[in-house]
Each structure stands twice: as structure tokens, then as C-alpha cells.
């Protein structure tokens, strides 16, 4: 099979998910990860629809992308204005992306009831909008919205809309199952019919309303589509989009299509979990290929069989997608990546040292309890140095108390704290906008006289994620703090059933990391 | 297309899900629901593998089932004993079910590495076990474990195992994709090959390890399978089984197979949510057909189009499966969606009333401050009713105080609270795993004596999202709580700079929504 273009729309269609709301910073972080993974095209947003997306494209220009081309998304021009005056098309151009994805109507029902224009006028809108962008040097992907529904209702008209895009010069025709109602057999048949008519490369954009998004995408590829659109973890409105994570694994491992190098495929699990984290969504433990239980074996018979020969109950080797079998006791690849990490921190650790084995076990235990060091390298460095006895704490805690009181609709939060630095003791108190802020204010106030450099740093991000959400308010929470000073930015983490304890761990790490970093610089 | 047998294995394969553990009572309740829905066969458990399942079958005899036949599940006899002496076969018989489902090995790899017997001996085990049960009057479904893997490795041997079951008298041959690694194209091809060889009706049992379980089941039906096995909500080991809820909807609404009466189909959403509740699993909001957001629309353009003609963005009428359209009221949407929402709540509001304008403005202000009502319909309903003076609070807060103390590495959280209900006052205190849990425990303790129905509800999800993350620990936070009882699931929200205040708002709404809902039901 020939090459396939992996096209990600997490930042546009995925951002429509109920509950997801990306900051520009979130979008930039996800873009970098997708580029590192090797996705070919990243749809960053709809610059004509909201100022946040326009800002994303401005800032994205500063990124150095190695594998990915950015795409801006928007609609064909309005019937009332010329292409040159259409604000949406102008915003697409202003995004300065190599790729522009333009969606238009393929379904007569939509042309009549939503666009409220004539079928002929719609064809003109498509052709002219595509041509206008082509003349300005863009690669144009034409997203044929509701293509499969349109083809079912009026195949001739649906094909004419594609012809209009081709006449405008479209580089790819992406067939969209916008409402997610098609069956694989229908996708196969329709794609073949289109394939016979046009030599322009085809794409597939599927939604999961019928639990068939992955299958519809696979069917389209088997029928000749060369571009596969999807979102990380299948995020998207209603029931979500086709899950690009599943599709990458299927294309590569089931269909033998070399869409990503083997080494990149191993990052699939990490990328899936990273995007969940940034999206503030729980990572689905049962998610195919990359879920925590995707290769978990329970019950003596299965476990025994798997120990004898993993193929007995595993459809593929979990390591291929960077996941792991859950009954594994130790993992060599884990140890070597730990050694690799330690080397980066100039710590003395080799694969053979007993310390490496012990540290790996500790890390696995902590990750099992909900720590997530990929997003908290500051805490990881402190952990390794503490364990290797290469760290002397800058202070110790005598204790703290926080009182939150609600009376007459007013809520107050006050923290008192006692810390020891060398032989001195400092006791102080502070108020704040909530318990964590009060504690943050109090610890800084207490330490500032010993470490004036703390005034240079500040917290830039504070994320709370509830693990094991079923335990509701008694659930463990993971707090991630991002801090920065004039030179660096670092992440720290805390995990506990108590949000105050988790925040405290992350706060302490963020302060100690700053002090350690300054100390190393002076040395 | 001819009739299809719906075969549910929630109580056996679904019970393998990590986190699910059914009591006998749970199993009986689910059985009654599946029978009421009209599922044809219910696999109740593996009586030879654990005493709980044997007890289930004993108690199930007392149920009066209208639509369903019960099936007991087990393996072919061991090589070392005769059928009559095999404890597993005897337990199957003792279950006294009209149907027995017997699984055997189709894959030479399993025969050699797991059974550790000869290929010929395996054929004898299959034939004799089936025949032994047939002679005792059972309908026998033969589950050909790993059939698709076996057929890939050694098609001739895989077919011989089916022949052995047929020779023993099997009534149905269910082809199992036990490891979930097959593609629909492979399932189609293999099923057709089997179909050509045997006149015995075929079944399909698919797993979701490749995100293709629903599609593989559909492909098998299109290739001639007459029995479809699955679990409610796709529960099952690793990545789960084929989701029977999706399959019922696809068979009936997409393939036109009359597997359930129209009136029963409308119960699909309720059954799906009921089973989630009994399974103590959060119901997946994005689940195809029956999820809370499966027919949710957001954003002016989509909402406008759907109001004009729902077909524009819905692949089917949500009421057909007992779900409903939800117009997400968010910043983006206008007065008309608010009016639509109010109508659903039987509130008197039209587009022209000044109240509509005022409410919309209020909603926009709240959304701007970080409220996110699309994920918190419970809070939205309370807000509208409070604003329209159609709500009388069930209690008022006198005040609360939370003390969090850290001394000697130990952290404690205690909440004291005072509430007024009518003219009574209740003051109490509780501890918890953190401040919110302590507060949650205290408020429930205080209200339970006035409202015993609160013991029926519980929180299933607790999400914290930091808004404006740059303000770090002083940032506003949004707390989303999901609650459920046996009938419904509802979301509530709170926003504040203080996480305790935000949690408090969401907690109060979750309790008041439950009480309001019960009141409306009684009225």
C-alpha cells in the first residue's frame, strides 16, 4: 500500500468536546507533541471563528516543526461577498499556514436548509474559494461536509461538489461522515465510486456516532483513501471523531502501512496520555492499544497462558505502541530509559547498578499511585537526587494549619506555618483566595528572608486532576504546578487523597527546584 | 434480512472488567432488565468456575422471564476425565438452563501451548462434550474461541474444530475474535468461508482491542451470522467486548433487522444507564446512541441548523433509542436555545419575554466568569427555576468551618457545619480525605435525617479545572460534579477563586437537584 497522510484535528474538531477548553498554551504544547510523534498535518483551529485560534497561529510561527505542516480550517466564502472580501477566507490567509482546509456543502439538504442558496451557487462558492487560496500558494484540502449523506440522497449533486473543488484546484478531497451515521459497507461503496471518478487524492473524516468511526476510516483506506483525519483519543462533539491513536496503530500494525517509523509508534501511548492530561480528561483505561488495561491480564488461566506465550491472549506486542503488559514484573527498557534520564542530570547511574533497579521499582510504584513524571520533570529530578543522596533539603516543615470559614456568605482562608532553615525557625501566617493560595503565600513569606531569590520565581500554571473519579470527593488528586523565573520553566507534581497535601508536595518541589537550580549555577 | 438472536454476556464476559464485581443480587436485577428489553439469550455466568455463579443460576429459576432464555457458560471437558465425570460439564447441567454455551479451542497454538494435548484429542473433547449436553436436552451454542486467529494460522484445522462441534450436535457455532485483533475485512472473508461449509447457524463474539468490535460484528452479520454476542456498554476485559447497545441500534436502525420491537428500542438508553449504575461505573457521556452528549449540539451554527431540521446534524432521531437532543447552552448560543431548554423543563418562557433576555444576559455573564452549563444541566435547571421563582430551597446554610492541619507528617481535615431545614437546625461535624470530602460528609450527615432519599444518590465524578491558569494558586477554579441514582445522572457546577467555595456550590446543587427531581416525580 502507498503512503498515508496522518491528519490530526484534535485542536479544531477535538476542541468541540464537551468539557475541553484549550488555552493557546495548551494548543502549542499539543502541536509540539504531535510534531514529535510524526503526524503529517496538524489542523490548528478556525482562525475566522475565534480570536484565540488566530492567536494560536501567530504564536505557532515561532515553533520549529520537524514533521508536521500546520493547517488552518474554515468555510467556503459567503454568497454575499467576493472571495477577496470574505473575512473568513482572509483570516485563513492571515494564519500563514502551508495548508488550508476548506469545508463546503455536499448535501442538497444543507445547501437548501442551512446555506439557503441555490445548488448552482454552492458549486460556485466551492470552486472560487478553493481557487482563491490556490492562487495564493496554499495546499488546499477540501473537506466535503456530509459527503456520505449527500451521496445517499443525491449522488450526482454530491459528485458535482467534488468536481467544483477539483476545478478550483483542490489538492485533496476529504470525504466527511459528519453525522457519523454511515456503515463501513456504505463507506466502501461510496469511496470506490468517488475513486473511479477523480484522480485527486482522497481523505476520510469519520465521526463515531454509530460506534464505527475507526472501521469507517479503515474501510475508506482499503477503498483507496490516502489521507486519514482523526483526533487524539477520539475527542470531538457528540460521540467524538475517529480516534487517530487507534488508526495509527491499525494502519501500521494491521495493514502494514508505513505511516510512522517504528520508533515513533512506541511513543503512541505517551502522546495519548499527554494529550488527555493537557485536555484535563481522564485517560480511558480501556482505550484500544494505549489504555492502562489494554494489555492487562486477570485470572490464572489467562495469566499462565500469556506467560507461556503472550500471543495466546494478546493481539499484538504492547511495546510496539509503547504500552505494557500489566503482569510484567520488571522491564528492561524501563531501566534503560531511567539511566538515560539520569545521565541527562549528570547523575551516576548505570543499568547494572542495584540503585537503578531500586529506583525503577520506586518510579513504577509512584506512577501506579498516580504520579506522572512526564509532565513534572522538576519533581523527577528532585526525586532521583534525593534517592541518590545528592540533595540536601533547603528547609524542613514544622507544621501548618489552614482554616476556611464560611459565615454570612463570606468565605475566608488563612494559613499558619512554621519552617526550620538550618538552625533558625520562622513562624508566620497569611491569607489567600482559597486554602492553597493561603498556604502558597505563607510558605513564601516564611522562606523569603532566607532565600531572597524566591522573589524571582512565580507559578504560571496550576492544574488539578482527579484520579479515580468514581471515588468522587474522596478520590486521589494529582496537582501539577508549572513555575518559571527569567531563565527556566519547570513542572512539579503532588498526589494525594487530600488536595492540600498534593498541592503542598508540588509547591515544595517547585521551591526546592528553584533553589537547587540556582545553587548548581553558582557552583 | 432474517431474524437475529441477541445474545448478552454482560454477566459473564462483562463481569471480567477491572472494577466490576457483581453480587448475585446485581446479576438478578440486570437479568430482569435485559429480559424486559427483549434480549433473546442471557449468559448468566460460568457455574463451574465460581460458586457465586452457581448460586445465581439457582436463584434465577425463580425469575419469570418473558423474552429471554438463560445460558450457562463453560469449557469442553478435560482430557483426563470422561464427560460424565467432568466437574465443569456437571456444573453446566446443574445450572438447569435451556441453553448451554460451551467454548473450545480452534487455534492450534492454544491446543499445543495451553491445553497441551494433541490436535486430534482436542477434536474429540469438542465433539463428546457437545454431544453429552445435547443428549441431556440442552440447546448448545458452541463458542469457537480464537476462531479468527486459528483460521489465519491453520484454516483447515480451525474448520475441523467446527466440524467436531457440528458432529456433536451443536445448534449454533459462534465465531470468537477472542483477542480482538481482527479487521472487518478478515471477519467478512472468514465468516463467508465458514458459511459455505456449514448449514448450522453462525454467531459472532467480538472484542474491542482494535477499536473495531462493533464493525466486526456488523461485518459478520452482513456475511451471514445470525447470533450477535455482546455486553451492555461494551464491558469486558482489556478493551471490552462488542457493545450490545450499539449493535442493537445498528441492527434495527441501520440494517433494518427487526431484532427488537420499536417500543423496546426506546428503552435502550435507560437500560444502558441502569446497567452502568448497577455496575458502579460512570456512564460514558460520549457513548454512541445512548450517551448524554450523543445528541448534544453546541455553537450557534449547529444549533440553528438542528432547530430548522434535526437531520442536518443528527444521524437519527434520538427518541428512537430513548435518548434526547440536548442544546448546550453556552456563550455561543442564543436566546432560541434558551427557550428550547426552558420548554424542556416545562418553564414558561418565550423568545419575546423580557425574562428571556435577562436570563440570557445572566447566563452569558456566568459563562464569562467560568461557568460551563453544558456540562452541568442540573445547575442550569436550578438556576432557571431560581430565577423564575419556581424553586424553594430545601435548606439554608448557617455556616461551615474546615480545619486542615499538618503536624508530624500527618494531615487531618475536619468540617463543622450548621444547616436550617424549615424551622429546625442541625449542627454536626465530620472528617474526610481532604477538605472537600470532609465538607461533603458533613453536609450529608446533617441533611440525611430530613431527607433520607439522599442515601440513594452518590457522586460518580468530581472534576476540577483551573481557569486562567496564569493566576496559579490564586486562579479561579471550576468544579464539576456528576451524581447519579438508580434512574438518572446529573451534572452540577461551581466556580470561585476558592476551591472550597466552588465545590460547595456544586455539592449544594447536586443535593438540591436530587430533592427537586424526587419532588417532581411525586407531584
Amino acid at each position: 500500500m502507498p503512503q498515508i497522510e496522518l491528519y490530526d484535528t484534535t485542536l479544531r474538531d477535538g476542541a468541540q468536546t464537551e468539557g475541553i477548553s484549550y488555552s493557546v498554551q495548551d494548543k502549542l504544547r499539543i502541536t509540539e507533541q504531535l510534531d514529535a510523534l510524526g503526524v503529517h498535518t496538524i489542523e490548528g483551529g478556525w482562525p475566522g471563528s475565534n480570536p484565540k485560534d488566530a492567536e494560536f497561529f501567530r504564536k505557532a510561527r515561532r515553533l520549529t516543526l520537524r514533521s508536521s505542516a500546520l493547517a488552518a480550517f474554515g468555510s467556503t466564502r459567503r454568497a454575499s461577498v467576493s472571495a477577496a472580501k470574505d473575512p473568513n477566507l482572509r483570516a485563513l490567509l492571515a494564519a500563514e499556514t502551508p495548508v488550508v482546509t476548506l469545508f463546503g456543502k455536499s448535501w442538497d439538504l444543507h445547501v437548501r436548509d442551512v446555506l439557503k442558496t441555490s445548488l448552482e451557487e454552492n458549486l460556485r462558492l466551492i470552486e472560487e474559494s478553493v481557487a482563491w487560496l490556490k492562487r495564493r500558494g496554499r495546499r488546499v484540502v477540501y473537506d466535503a461536509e456530509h459527503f456520505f449523506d449527500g451521496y445517499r440522497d443525491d449522488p450526482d449533486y454530491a459528485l458535482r461538489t467534488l468536481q467544483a473543488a477539483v476545478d478550483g484546484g483542490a489538492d485533496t478531497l476529504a470525504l466527511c461522515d459528519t453525522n457519523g451515521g454511515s456503515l463501513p459497507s456504505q463507506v466502501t461503496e461510496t469511496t470506490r465510486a468517488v475513486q473511479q471518478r477523480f484522480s485527486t487524492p482522497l481523505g476520510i473524516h469519520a465521526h463515531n456516532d454509530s460506534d464505527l468511526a475507526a472501521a469507517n476510516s479503515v474501510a475508506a483506506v482499503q477503498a483507496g483513501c490516502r489521507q486519514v483525519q482523526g483526533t487524539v483519543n477520539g475527542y470531538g462533539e457528540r460521540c467524538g471523531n475517529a480516534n487517530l491513536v487507534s488508526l495509527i496503530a491499525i494502519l501500521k500494525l494491521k495493514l502494514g502501512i508505513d505511516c510512522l517509523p517504528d520508533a515513533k509508534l512506541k511513543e503512541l501511548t505517551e502522546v495519548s496520555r499527554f494529550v488527555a492530561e493537557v485536555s484535563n480528561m481522564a485517560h480511558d483505561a480501556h482505550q484500544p492499544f494505549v489504555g492502562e488495561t489494554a494489555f492487562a491480564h486477570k485470572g490464572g488461566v489467562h495469566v499462565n497462558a500469556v506467560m507461556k506465550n503472550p500471543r495466546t491472549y494478546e493481539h499484538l506486542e504492547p511495546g510496539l505502541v509503547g504500552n505494557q503488559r500489566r503482569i510484567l514484573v520488571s522491564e528492561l527498557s524501563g531501566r534503560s530509559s531511567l539511566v538515560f534520564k539520569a545521565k541527562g542530570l549528570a547523575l551516576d547511574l548505570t543499568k547494572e547498578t542495584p540503585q537503578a533497579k531500586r529506583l525503577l521499582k520506586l518510579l513504577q510504584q509512584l506512577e501506579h499511585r498516580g504520579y506522572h513524571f512526564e509532565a513534572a520533570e522538576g519533581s523527577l529530578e528532585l526525586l532521583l537526587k534525593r534517592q541518590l543522596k545528592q540533595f540536601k533539603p533547603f528547609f524542613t516543615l514544622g507544621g501548618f494549619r489552614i482554616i476556611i470559614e464560611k459565615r454570612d456568605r463570606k468565605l475566608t482562608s488563612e494559613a499558619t506555618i512554621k519552617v526550620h532553615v538550618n538552625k533558625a525557625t520562622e513562624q508566620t501566617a497569611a491569607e489567600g483566595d482559597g486554602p492553597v493560595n493561603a498556604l502558597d503565600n505563607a510558605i513564601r513569606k516564611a522562606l523569603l528572608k532566607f532565600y531572597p531569590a524566591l522573589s524571582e520565581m512565580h507559578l504560571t500554571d496550576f492544574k488539578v486532576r482527579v484520579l479515580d473519579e468514581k471515588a468522587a470527593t474522596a478520590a486521589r488528586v494529582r496537582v501539577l504546578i508549572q513555575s518559571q523565573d527569567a531563565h527556566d520553566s519547570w513542572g512539579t507534581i503532588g498526589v494525594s487523597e487530600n488536595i492540600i497535601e498534593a498541592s503542598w508536595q508540588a509547591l515544595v518541589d517547585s521551591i526546592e527546584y528553584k533553589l537547587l537550580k540556582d545553587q548548581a549555577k553558582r557552583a
Side-chain angles (χ1 to χ4, degrees), chain A:
Chain A
M1 282 234 190
Q3 185 53 276
I4 289 280
E5 178 191 356
L6 301 174
Y7 184 108
D8 181 274
T9 177
T10 307
L11 302 178
R12 204 270 308 167
D13 231 6
Q16 300 292 313
T17 314
E18 212 180 346
I20 287 185
S21 163
Y22 293 127
S23 67
V24 171
Q25 195 54 39
D26 290 337
K27 286 190 154 203
L28 293 167
R29 287 172 75 196
I30 291 174
T31 303
E32 287 180 309
Q33 285 290 317
L34 292 172
D35 176 60
L37 178 66
V39 161
H40 307 108
T41 315
I42 301 173
E43 193 174 275
W46 186 341
S49 84
N50 73 72
K52 204 200 269 176
D53 283 5
E55 188 192 339
F56 164 77
F57 285 112
R58 267 197 307 280
K59 294 205 168 146
R61 275 173 228 151
R62 276 178 247 147
L63 299 177
T64 312
L65 301 181
R66 287 161 192 277
S67 328
S68 311
L70 277 180
F73 176 91
S75 66
T76 52
R77 75 165 170 84
R78 289 186 208 156
S80 53
V81 291
S82 69
K85 287 197 174 152
D86 187 80
N88 175 57
L89 289 183
R90 291 166 65 102
L92 284 171
L93 209 62
E96 292 184 18
T97 54
V99 185
V100 166
T101 298
L102 211 58
F103 80 93
K105 301 287 186 189
S106 330
W107 193 3
D108 54 350
L109 171 89
H110 261 263
V111 177
R112 274 190 290 257
D113 287 8
V114 182
L115 275 194
K116 293 189 180 295
T117 185
S118 71
L119 296 179
E120 291 304 319
E121 174 69 5
N122 179 48
L123 298 177
R124 271 193 298 278
L125 299 182
I126 295 170
E127 182 178 342
E128 287 177 23
S129 304
V130 173
W132 191 80
L133 286 161
K134 279 307 295 175
R135 279 198 299 274
R136 278 148 191 90
R138 299 301 188 266
R139 174 187 162 203
V140 177
V141 175
Y142 176 70
D143 260 12
E145 202 195 13
H146 291 106
F147 185 78
F148 297 93
D149 295 302
Y151 189 84
R152 263 195 294 278
D153 267 20
D154 185 346
D156 181 56
Y157 184 70
L159 290 171
R160 285 175 68 206
T161 64
L162 294 183
Q163 186 62 54
V166 169
D167 292 345
D171 299 282
T172 300
L173 303 173
L175 311 179
C176 303
D177 187 32
T178 310
N179 294 1
S182 300
L183 297 177
S185 46
Q186 296 164 335
V187 169
T188 299
E189 196 187 324
T190 307
T191 306
R192 281 194 188 138
V194 175
Q195 176 83 351
Q196 278 168 10
R197 267 287 277 276
F198 299 98
S199 60
T200 310
L202 303 183
I204 179 73
H205 174 108
H207 281 259
N208 203 37
D209 299 74
S210 306
D211 211 356
L212 297 166
N216 282 338
S217 308
V218 169
V221 168
Q222 289 178 320
C225 281
R226 291 291 155 261
Q227 180 199 64
V228 175
Q229 299 194 4
T231 62
V232 176
N233 303 331
Y235 296 142
E237 289 192 272
R238 303 190 313 269
C239 308
N241 288 51
N243 187 340
L244 195 63
V245 173
S246 299
L247 292 176
I248 288 172
I250 294 171
L251 291 174
K252 177 96 182 167
L253 300 173
K254 305 275 175 186
L255 295 175
I257 296 172
D258 199 28
C259 55
L260 277 190
D262 294 357
K264 294 293 183 186
L265 193 69
K266 288 192 207 303
E267 293 172 20
L268 204 55
T269 299
E270 202 182 319
V271 169
S272 165
R273 295 179 186 179
F274 173 87
V275 172
E277 190 65 32
V278 175
S279 306
N280 201 23
M281 300 289 274
H283 193 258
D284 179 8
H286 301 281
Q287 189 172 327
F289 301 101
V290 298
E292 211 185 318
T293 70
F295 299 93
H297 303 286
K298 181 174 161 179
V301 179
H302 275 216
V303 171
N304 272 339
V306 165
M307 304 282 258
K308 282 177 201 147
N309 182 348
R311 275 184 77 211
T312 53
Y313 287 100
E314 282 176 2
H315 68 120
L316 52 84
E317 166 56 47
L320 293 173
V321 292
N323 204 345
Q324 38 184 329
R325 187 169 303 134
R326 282 272 286 286
I327 48 165
L328 263 191
V329 186
S330 72
E331 202 186 22
L332 273 171
S333 69
R335 211 184 303 176
S336 44
S337 64
L338 182 69
V339 169
F340 181 80
K341 199 150 266 173
K343 200 177 282 171
L345 301 173
L347 290 173
D348 186 26
L349 200 65
T350 65
K351 222 162 152 178
E352 288 69 36
T353 47
Q355 280 176 322
K357 204 169 166 182
R358 186 175 54 82
L359 275 171
L360 185 68
K361 206 169 163 189
L362 176 67
L363 280 179
Q364 283 172 337
Q365 284 167 350
L366 289 170
E367 298 245 344
H368 187 72
R369 276 169 48 200
Y371 283 83
H372 198 222
F373 290 104
E374 293 96 329
E377 302 250 319
S379 286
L380 179 62
E381 181 172 339
L382 288 166
L383 177 81
L384 294 181
K385 290 190 169 166
R386 282 177 191 132
Q387 288 294 321
L388 296 170
K389 311 268 184 245
Q390 304 195 7
F391 178 77
K392 188 179 157 289
F394 291 90
F395 65 95
T396 55
L397 177 71
F400 65 72
R401 181 193 295 126
I402 307 169
I403 299 180
I404 309 146
E405 195 154 8
K406 180 152 180 159
R407 286 278 173 270
D408 309 323
R409 298 173 159 264
K410 247 196 77 185
L411 196 72
T412 55
S413 306
E414 189 204 39
T416 59
I417 195 165
K418 185 155 73 172
V419 292
H420 310 290
V421 178
N422 298 323
K423 274 167 188 154
T425 294
E426 180 73 15
Q427 184 155 23
T428 190
E431 287 191 328
D433 295 325
V436 181
N437 185 233
L439 187 62
D440 183 19
N441 291 341
I443 177 73
R444 280 158 190 276
K445 196 170 158 191
L447 290 177
L448 205 59
K449 64 185 270 195
F450 304 102
Y451 303 111
L454 290 181
S455 65
E456 295 160 11
M457 72 171 272
H458 65 279
L459 273 50
T460 54
D461 191 355
F462 177 73
K463 273 194 158 65
V464 180
R465 152 126 218 92
V466 178
L467 309 165
D468 182 26
E469 286 160 348
K470 277 190 284 172
T473 56
R476 266 170 311 141
V477 293
R478 176 199 296 148
V479 169
L480 284 169
I481 285 179
Q482 197 70 25
S483 309
Q484 73 183 39
D485 60 14
H487 310 288
D488 302 288
S489 169
W490 59 98
T492 55
I493 190 169
V495 174
S496 169
E497 281 80 21
N498 190 320
I499 191 173
I500 305 296
E501 172 63 25
S503 304
W504 171 251
Q505 292 171 6
L507 272 177
V508 168
D509 274 7
S510 98
I511 291 170
E512 295 216 289
Y513 185 86
K514 160 72 177 165
L515 297 174
L516 184 71
K517 190 170 75 81
D518 287 2
Q519 196 179 53
K521 222 172 254 170
R522 280 196 304 274

